[in-house]
Amino acid sequence: MGFLILQGGGAETFAAPRRGLGGLCSTVAAAMPQRSRASSADAPRARLAPRYLAGVDGGGSGTRVRLQDALGRCTAGVGSAGPSSLSQGVAQAWRHVLEALDAAFADAGLAAVPPGEIAIGLGLAGAENPRQRQAFLAADPGFARCALFTDAQTTLHGAFGGGAGVVVAAGTGSIALAKGLDGAECRAGGWGFPSGDEGGGAWLGLHAMRIAQAALDGRTTAGALAHAVWRQAGADMPALLQWCLTAGQRQYAQLAPLVFNAAEQGDEAAGALLHAAAAELERLLHAVCAKAAGGAGLPIVLTGSIGERLRAFWPDALQGRCRQALGDSAQGALELLRAQLQQDGAGHRPGSMP
């Protein structure tokens, strides 16, 4: 059983996966024929007060969900699934969000409930793209409230609890977002792979592939990094060409750990690449601090699987400004969702831009 997701000028079928009796994905699939296929998250919907709140952090490598009761009194469960970056497709994003939500209910020892009993706040990579955003909201399977933010917004809010500060996030991609002393937000980076996302995992993987290709040609010495890429992607020209032909952002990001491992083995090319990645993140930081009120003195959270490992490459002065995040992106999504629910109660239009 499936339903249509409008995406750009076309449509694709999303077959909601069934994950056993009582699973949320099964509940969604069963409920879908009752909704218009042309429905939109902007359309008015008769809703009851939600029983549960869900905060979602979705990027190019994975999706994580935090589940709470409606009053936010406790964290009921946590679940994870595959990537939900909107740039990789709306159907995949919804599928993995529902799988992660299903896993969160299971983690909490709770039976899944219909989407209409859940308010969901999502911080997703690619949500700043208007067409991707519209297509995703149009495919909302009937949640009591569906509030969509960028993953940078939810990360910033979670890191500083809504206060002033700067987040430099580098996972699969990269972005810097700041909230100044005047409360205004500004950003730098986040342009997406392959044209942007400098210093992120996919960017590292792309440059690692270039090193491997150059070594295969004899244009540079074949070190530990080149050999590691060959073992993973292929050790001759036809194999590397085929790998590059089918690889996307996620596959390139999976090469990033090879760079760190090779650098630890003394590979000079890998070490230079890590220094270059750290410098790119530093450029993002300086760009966003120049725009934010009081930016030069704002605390910094350097986050993400890549960002956390590159902190050691930053100058001591910047490392001294770095802080531990108060909460993660999924927690930030929950907090922003609660704010949206309060606005809804004051007549805020459901599904509108946060």
Side-chain angles (χ1 to χ4, degrees):
M1 185 178 295
F3 58 89
L4 288 181
I5 291 177
L6 302 179
Q7 188 170 17
E12 57 181 307
T13 300
F14 170 24
R18 295 183 178 273
R19 293 175 57 86
L21 294 176
L24 179 67
C25 294
S26 299
T27 303
V28 170
M32 286 313 300
Q34 301 174 18
R35 297 191 69 222
S36 167
R37 295 186 176 211
S39 65
S40 166
D42 284 333
R45 180 187 304 150
R47 296 169 297 167
L48 300 175
R51 291 175 57 192
Y52 296 100
L53 306 181
V56 181
D57 172 30
S61 297
T63 303
R64 191 164 181 268
V65 170
R66 285 188 180 275
L67 183 67
Q68 292 185 343
D69 65 19
L71 298 179
R73 294 175 300 188
C74 63
T75 300
V78 176
S80 61
S84 55
S85 171
L86 297 188
S87 64
Q88 296 182 24
V90 166
Q92 173 181 276
W94 268 120
R95 181 170 64 252
H96 289 156
V97 166
L98 294 177
E99 287 178 1
L101 187 55
D102 214 18
F105 272 99
D107 180 60
L110 298 170
V113 300
E117 297 182 22
I118 306 167
I120 189 168
L122 308 106
L124 303 183
E128 66 275 6
N129 182 294
R131 292 182 66 184
Q132 291 174 172
R133 180 187 185 86
Q134 181 181 10
F136 183 84
L137 290 174
D140 168 15
F143 286 100
R145 178 68 163 94
C146 182
L148 178 60
F149 312 91
T150 70
D151 57 342
Q153 286 178 297
T154 54
T155 300
L156 178 66
H157 197 92
F160 297 104
V166 183
V167 162
V168 179
T172 301
S174 66
I175 191 171
L177 190 67
K179 185 172 184 178
L181 298 177
D182 59 357
E185 294 184 4
C186 53
R187 59 175 283 171
W191 290 99
F193 181 82
S195 63
D197 283 350
E198 295 87 349
W203 183 91
L204 276 172
L206 178 62
H207 283 75
M209 177 56 71
R210 290 175 177 171
I211 289 171
Q213 291 172 349
L216 193 62
D217 283 346
R219 289 179 282 137
T220 188
T221 302
L225 178 57
H227 283 282
V229 174
W230 293 343
R231 285 192 295 271
Q232 185 155 326
D236 56 32
M237 186 175 183
L240 289 183
L241 286 173
Q242 180 60 34
W243 190 94
C244 294
L245 180 65
T246 59
Q249 180 189 40
R250 187 184 186 190
Q251 288 71 36
Y252 275 104
Q254 290 171 345
L255 299 180
L258 306 182
V259 182
F260 287 96
N261 293 339
E264 291 174 356
Q265 297 172 38
D267 187 298
E268 293 184 0
L273 187 50
L274 293 182
H275 279 282
E280 291 291 352
L281 299 185
E282 187 178 345
R283 290 175 62 193
L284 289 177
L285 172 69
H286 290 314
V288 79
C289 284
K291 303 175 186 179
L298 292 176
I300 302 165
V301 167
L302 181 57
T303 187
S305 58
I306 302 299
E308 291 172 358
R309 299 184 72 175
L310 291 178
R311 176 176 171 175
F313 293 86
W314 272 12
D316 291 343
L318 291 183
Q319 291 193 47
R321 288 173 56 191
C322 289
R323 304 287 185 270
Q324 288 293 321
L326 297 178
D328 60 16
S329 181
Q331 182 64 37
L334 279 169
E335 294 172 0
L336 289 170
L337 171 63
R338 281 193 285 269
Q340 289 288 293
L341 290 171
Q342 291 174 355
Q343 290 179 337
D344 283 355
H348 187 69
R349 187 181 179 205
S352 61
M353 287 282 289

